[in-house]
Amino acid sequence: MHHQYRLLLACAIGFSMCSAQADVYDETRPVIEIKNGKLQGVAAKEMVAFKNIPYAAPPVGEWRWRPPQPAKSWVVVRDASKFGEACMQPAMPGLNSELVPGTEDCLKLNVYTPQTGKNLPVMVWFHGGGLFEGSANEPYYQPMGLIKEGVVVVTVDYRIGKLGFFAPKELVEEARKNDEPVGNYGTMDQIHSLKWVRDNIAAFGGDPNNVTIFGQSAGGRAVTWLMTSPAAKGLFHKAIAQSAQQLPVRELAQEKLGMVSEEAMDANYMASLGVKDLQGMRALPADKLLLTPKDFQEGEFGGSMVDGQIIVGDPIQLFAEGKQHKVPFMIGTNAWDASYFVLGQPPVSAYINKMGEDPKVVNKLYATFKDKCVLAAELMADGWYKGGVKLLANSAAKHAPTYAYYYNYVTPNVRPAMIGAAHTFELPYVFGALDTVPRAPAKPELAGNQCKRINQALADMNQKGEWSKYWFPSTDPASKEDQSISEQLGKSWAAFAKTGNPNYVGGAEWPRYELAQDVMREFTQGKKTLIKDLDKARVDYQIKAVKAAYQIE
C-alpha cells in the first residue's frame, strides 16, 4: 500500500520517537509520515482512518480572528486513532450533544482511506450546520460506502459561529493594516485545509491532482463560495454542492436587500456583551462568544459576508457572469429542503411582498400544496434551493460538465409522515453510514396531519431548545431499498470524483444538465431515475423573483 507505513524500528534502538503516545506497530495501527511528523491511525470497518490531524495552528489568543497559520510539527508519533473535539458551538439537544462544548483549538481534519491503493481520487468534505454548529466528527460522516468505491475521503473542521464569521470595523481596519483578508475565517480555514491536502495527501495514497470538494447545506454553500473564490483557485478539480441554498450573502460595510452590514451587526453584538474594543473581545473566554439557537433563528448571526478577497460576491451572479472556476460540477436539492427554512420562515404575505410577487399568482401556483403551515418555507425553497440548483447548473454547464440531482427518498416506515426527503436526510446514504443514525420505527408511521407534527417539532425547538427527531434522518440498514439508494449515491459520487462524470457501469443514465431540457437524476423509491421540469411552473416563477433580486437578466 502507498501509505508509506513505517515499522518504527527506531523504537527498538531507543530512538526518541518511542513514546507513550505511540502504540507498538501492528497491521491495525498503521503509521505514516507527513510534512509535520508521524501519525498512527487505526484500521476499522474496512477503512484505514487517521483522525484529529492538525492542518493549522490553534486560532487562539492573538490569532483569534486572524487567517489560519501553518500547523506546528511534532517529534513523537501522534496518535491519530480518535476524533478531537469539535469547534466551539452552542448545545442543541437532539442534534449535537456529542459535540459540545467543543474547543477553540479545533482546526483538525480526518483522513479515511481504503486498505490498499495509490494515486486515488480525493474527496474533501465540508460539513453543514448553518455555519453555527456541526463537525466533521459526526458519526454519519464516516465514509464506509465511499471508501468501498476506491476514493480517499478527508473531513474537515473549520471555525463556526462568531469565532468563524466576525468583522467589526476595528477588525476590518486591523486586517487591512496587516494586508490580510477579514471576516470569513471559517472559509479561510477550508481553503487552508485544501492546501494541506495538496501538500500531504499523497502520503495517504491520494492523488493531489484529483481533488473533489463536497459539502451539504452550509458546507454546500461553501462549495459554491470556493467555486468563485480567487483564493481557492487551483486547489480542487471538481465540486459537489448538496442542498446549497442561495440566499444573498451579507455585505461587509453596507446594507443589502434589507440586511444590515456585517460591521453594524457585529457592533451591536459587541455592545450586547459590554465590550468596547477588539482587545476586549480577544480577551473573552471562548464560551462567552457562543450564540444561542434562538439567536440563530432570529437572525442575530450574520454568517458569511462579501469581503472582496475570500467571498467576492453571490454565486448565482458570479456563475451567470462565468466567473466560477471551470471544473466539473454537480449540484442538487432534497424534495423537502424547505424544512431548513421552517424554523425561521416569515409570514407568506411578508415574503411575497419582499420578493415582489403577485399573491394571486402564488395562490394559483401553490393551490395543491396542502401543508399551508409551511407554505412560506416552500416558496423560499422553490427559489433558493430548486431555483438555485437550476440557475447554477445551467450557468456552470456552459463551461464544464455539470450534473443536477433531486433527492426524493425516505426510508419506507418514515415515508408516510414526511412531506418529502427533509434537509440532511441524504447524508447517511451518501456516506454509506446507514447504521450511524437512529433506526426507523419497526412499523410504518401514520400519515396523519403533517402540520401537527411540524408544529410539535417547532414547539420542541422554541420551548425546550431541543432538535426534534422529526428533523433528523433515520434509516433501516436491513432494507434493500435503503441499501440500494445508498449504493447508487456512493457509486455516483465516487464516479464523479474519479472522472468528473457520475455515470458508472450498471447505473441509471444521468445526462448533463441544461435548463432548456431541465432533466435531473432523481434518487427515489421504485424504478424512476430521472425527473424532467421539476415543479416547473412554481420554480420558474420563483427564479424570476430571484433573478430580479440579483438584477440578472
Side-chain angles (χ1 to χ4, degrees):
M1 185 177 179
H2 192 63
H3 286 313
Q4 300 179 5
Y5 294 157
R6 304 292 180 94
L7 295 178
L8 297 183
L9 295 177
C11 282
I13 59 174
F15 191 61
S16 64
M17 284 188 203
C18 189
S19 75
Q21 286 189 318
D23 294 344
V24 175
Y25 177 82
D26 63 49
E27 291 185 359
T28 62
R29 296 299 314 279
V31 175
I32 66 167
E33 185 170 8
I34 61 173
K35 291 184 179 297
N36 293 103
K38 293 186 178 183
L39 298 164
Q40 187 167 34
V42 63
K45 297 185 176 180
E46 300 183 0
M47 303 185 295
V48 179
F50 297 85
K51 303 175 182 178
N52 195 31
I53 307 170
Y55 67 87
V60 299
E62 65 177 309
W63 293 108
R64 180 185 285 177
W65 299 308
R66 296 284 300 279
Q69 300 299 306
K72 294 181 180 179
S73 296
W74 52 88
V75 176
V76 299
V77 178
R78 183 182 175 90
D79 180 16
S81 65
K82 298 180 177 65
F83 291 125
E85 290 186 74
C87 291
M88 295 290 297
Q89 57 194 277
M92 300 179 73
L95 181 64
N96 67 346
S97 298
E98 74 279 11
L99 304 178
V100 295
T103 177
E104 199 170 358
D105 177 11
C106 64
L107 300 188
K108 315 289 177 55
L109 52 75
N110 313 299
V111 181
Y112 301 88
T113 77
Q115 293 179 331
T116 60
K118 62 181 180 179
N119 295 324
L120 299 174
V122 180
M123 302 185 72
V124 180
W125 174 254
F126 299 120
H127 68 80
L131 304 177
F132 183 76
E133 65 85 35
S135 171
N137 303 344
E138 292 177 278
Y140 41 87
Y141 297 151
Q142 296 182 68
M144 289 82 79
L146 293 171
I147 296 300
K148 186 170 67 174
E149 300 302 326
V151 298
V152 172
V153 177
V154 181
T155 63
V156 179
D157 273 308
Y158 55 92
R159 283 174 280 182
I160 53 180
K162 285 294 186 183
L163 288 165
F165 299 87
F166 185 63
K169 188 173 183 179
E170 186 183 353
L171 183 56
V172 173
E173 292 171 350
E174 177 191 270
R176 286 174 179 159
K177 182 178 178 181
N178 293 334
D179 194 25
E180 294 175 348
V182 67
N184 294 298
Y185 299 102
T187 313
M188 295 180 213
D189 294 341
Q190 294 168 349
I191 292 170
H192 199 79
S193 75
L194 292 173
K195 293 177 180 177
W196 184 97
V197 168
R198 177 194 62 196
D199 296 340
N200 292 281
I201 205 64
F204 299 87
D207 181 357
N209 297 311
N210 190 4
V211 175
T212 298
I213 57 172
F214 70 134
Q216 182 268 345
S217 192
R221 291 201 79 187
V223 166
T224 64
W225 297 329
L226 295 172
M227 283 277 287
T228 53
S229 176
K233 185 176 182 180
L235 294 176
F236 60 92
H237 312 95
K238 306 175 189 70
I240 303 172
Q242 300 171 211
S243 298
Q245 54 92 353
Q246 293 298 309
L247 283 168
V249 181
R250 190 179 304 272
E251 292 287 339
L252 187 63
Q254 61 188 27
E255 184 177 308
K256 173 181 177 180
L257 298 176
M259 298 184 292
V260 299
S261 71
E262 186 68 27
E263 287 185 1
M265 173 171 276
D266 289 335
N268 291 335
Y269 176 63
M270 290 173 65
S272 74
L273 296 174
V275 179
K276 296 182 179 180
D277 57 25
L278 189 57
Q279 182 181 359
M281 291 296 289
R282 285 199 171 114
L284 286 178
D287 60 3
K288 298 297 183 183
L289 296 167
L290 291 181
L291 298 172
T292 67
K294 185 178 180 181
D295 292 329
F296 181 74
Q297 285 178 259
E298 294 180 355
E300 296 301 318
F301 172 53
S304 59
M305 67 215 75
V306 177
D307 67 273
Q309 291 178 266
I310 302 300
I311 296 180
V312 297
D314 289 292
I316 284 181
Q317 285 179 308
L318 294 171
F319 271 61
E321 296 166 5
K323 293 181 179 178
Q324 77 282 6
H325 302 311
K326 311 303 191 294
V327 299
F329 183 52
M330 190 164 87
I331 185 170
T333 185
N334 289 7
W336 194 38
D337 262 334
S339 65
Y340 175 79
F341 289 134
V342 168
L343 289 172
Q345 67 177 349
V348 173
S349 58
Y351 182 73
I352 61 177
N353 181 61
K354 184 179 182 69
M355 296 299 292
E357 299 180 11
D358 186 335
K360 293 180 180 178
V361 174
V362 170
N363 288 337
K364 183 177 180 181
L365 288 172
Y366 293 85
T368 60
F369 183 74
K370 66 181 187 302
D371 302 297
K372 300 302 183 185
C373 62
V374 290
L375 177 58
E378 193 72 7
L379 297 174
M380 295 176 70
D382 280 351
W384 305 109
Y385 276 117
K386 295 173 188 173
V389 165
K390 293 186 181 188
L391 287 171
L392 288 175
N394 188 60
S395 296
K398 297 172 183 176
H399 305 280
T402 300
Y403 301 84
Y405 73 86
Y406 180 59
Y407 184 80
N408 190 22
Y409 180 82
V410 179
T411 192
N413 285 358
V414 176
R415 198 175 296 158
M418 302 298 298
I419 292 175
H423 195 64
T424 76
F425 273 37
E426 86 281 13
L427 291 175
Y429 295 89
V430 168
F431 282 83
L434 298 181
D435 61 351
T436 63
V437 295
R439 297 291 175 97
K443 296 181 180 180
E445 294 183 339
L446 300 176
N449 185 324
Q450 300 285 25
C451 280
K452 183 178 180 180
R453 281 192 177 90
I454 293 166
N455 288 331
Q456 182 58 57
L458 284 171
D460 290 344
M461 186 68 188
N462 294 328
Q463 298 168 17
K464 305 176 186 177
E466 294 181 1
W467 191 263
S468 171
K469 65 179 182 179
Y470 182 75
W471 306 114
F472 205 89
S474 60
T475 65
D476 178 1
S479 163
K480 296 296 184 184
E481 268 195 341
D482 277 31
Q483 294 169 12
S484 174
I485 291 293
S486 183
E487 183 178 81
Q488 291 174 52
L489 289 165
K491 285 184 177 295
S492 296
W493 265 233
F496 183 81
K498 292 173 183 177
T499 67
N501 184 334
N503 288 283
Y504 59 90
V505 176
E509 177 192 9
W510 188 340
R512 290 188 185 185
Y513 187 82
E514 54 180 302
L515 189 57
Q517 300 299 319
D518 198 12
V519 177
M520 300 180 181
R521 172 75 162 90
E522 182 173 15
F523 295 94
T524 189
Q525 65 270 14
K527 296 182 179 180
K528 188 178 180 184
T529 59
L530 295 175
I531 186 165
K532 180 175 172 57
D533 296 331
L534 173 63
D535 292 333
K536 182 173 175 54
R538 286 172 24 176
V539 176
D540 281 355
Y541 188 69
Q542 297 302 332
I543 283 177
K544 183 179 178 182
V546 168
K547 282 185 170 182
Y550 282 130
Q551 298 180 329
I552 297 172
E553 293 296 329

